[in-house]
Amino acid sequence: MIPLALDFSEEAVLVVGGGPVGARKARRFAREARVVVLSPAFADADFGDAELVRTAADADALDDWVGRLDPALVVAATDDADVNDAAVEAARSAGALVNRADHAGDRAFDDVAVPATVRDDPVTVAVSTGGSSPALAKHLRERIEDAVTGAGAMAELTAALRESLQDADVPPRQRRDAVRAVVRSEPVWKALRSADTKDDQEVDDAVRRVVADVAGDAVSGGPREDGTLADVVDEEHTP
């Protein structure tokens, strides 16, 4: 299976099954897309912002809802193999992707395995076993959670730094070296993880010291009021 990041912000997801598994799938996708859950009954569980439709999920109902929603993805999450088969058939007839919760191991090429994810926006790290061992994926996710803490702030910080260096006409190789040095700096990571805001003085000072080692006299000034690092490089720097 090839891991891809897909934008579901304007898409619909149809979840078939109102049990704990369907609830978990609904919560996951409702953060990104419109989610409709079909089931004759619903567990006492959190379905996030999904729309719950109490209906028998037979073949006719599934065809009707797939045609109505035009979902990008159909999730077959019941404990009834026949219902799940019908959901898969309806999805494939409409050209939708399929995630089948009761199958593991070998999958058709158009099936989707939902990875275990760690998010620190805009950074997302996903772990997948191709659906063969969700328990292992969850375990690996838990092991990397600490390492990802602060990664979102680091991504935003280095994006601002890269733009500042470009605006200052710092040569490409020197820019790359400076950004890589910041990303690999333990003092910067420590400051990001302990700071209340991304423009905290501790963060700014740590970045300034690292960039100074690479860019030399190019470092001057302080952070702008908008919280970016646009002034970390002297505008009069010449390559």
Side-chain angles (χ1 to χ4, degrees):
M1 303 190 79
I2 299 175
L4 299 173
L6 301 177
D7 183 1
F8 270 38
S9 58
E10 300 296 328
E11 302 290 351
V13 174
L14 179 64
V15 177
V16 183
V21 175
R24 186 175 71 250
K25 299 287 187 177
R27 287 196 307 274
R28 172 62 185 86
F29 288 108
R31 297 196 297 265
E32 318 289 343
R34 178 192 177 192
V35 175
V36 174
V37 185
L38 303 183
S39 180
F42 293 95
D44 183 14
D46 178 13
F47 286 81
D49 293 328
E51 304 170 38
L52 308 185
V53 179
R54 194 178 298 273
T55 184
D58 55 26
D60 290 338
L62 288 167
D63 285 338
D64 178 61
W65 275 99
V66 168
R68 193 184 311 181
L69 281 178
D70 188 24
L73 173 68
V74 174
V75 180
T78 78
D79 57 4
D80 186 323
D82 291 337
V83 173
N84 288 343
D85 286 342
V88 170
E89 183 176 351
R92 289 181 176 157
S93 295
L97 295 171
V98 175
N99 173 240
R100 182 160 179 165
D102 63 347
H103 276 189
D106 294 337
R107 292 173 176 269
F109 75 95
D110 57 349
D111 281 351
V112 173
V114 182
T117 57
V118 179
R119 301 180 71 102
D120 189 354
D121 289 332
V123 175
T124 301
V125 178
V127 179
S128 175
T129 62
S132 62
S133 181
L136 175 59
K138 179 180 179 181
H139 172 69
L140 294 175
R141 182 202 68 197
E142 291 170 346
R143 294 187 62 177
I144 65 175
E145 281 179 339
D146 289 343
V148 175
T149 301
M154 176 65 82
E156 294 175 351
L157 183 152
T158 50
L161 175 61
R162 185 172 62 250
E163 183 179 351
S164 299
L165 294 167
Q166 289 174 336
D167 291 344
D169 293 327
V170 175
R173 182 173 180 178
Q174 198 172 7
R175 292 201 304 267
R176 287 193 298 270
D177 289 346
V179 172
R180 287 171 181 170
V182 169
V183 168
R184 296 170 183 173
S185 170
E186 284 302 320
V188 174
W189 278 104
K190 181 178 179 181
L192 284 172
R193 288 166 175 161
S194 63
D196 292 332
T197 58
K198 67 180 179 181
D199 62 337
D200 185 271
Q201 189 63 46
E202 183 181 358
V203 175
D204 186 50
D205 290 345
V207 172
R208 200 175 299 279
R209 286 191 293 270
V210 173
V211 176
D213 289 340
V214 177
D217 295 335
V219 179
S220 70
R224 293 195 323 201
E225 291 181 359
D226 61 6
T228 69
L229 293 170
D231 295 329
V232 75
V233 178
D234 188 343
E235 294 181 355
E236 296 182 356
H237 170 78
T238 55

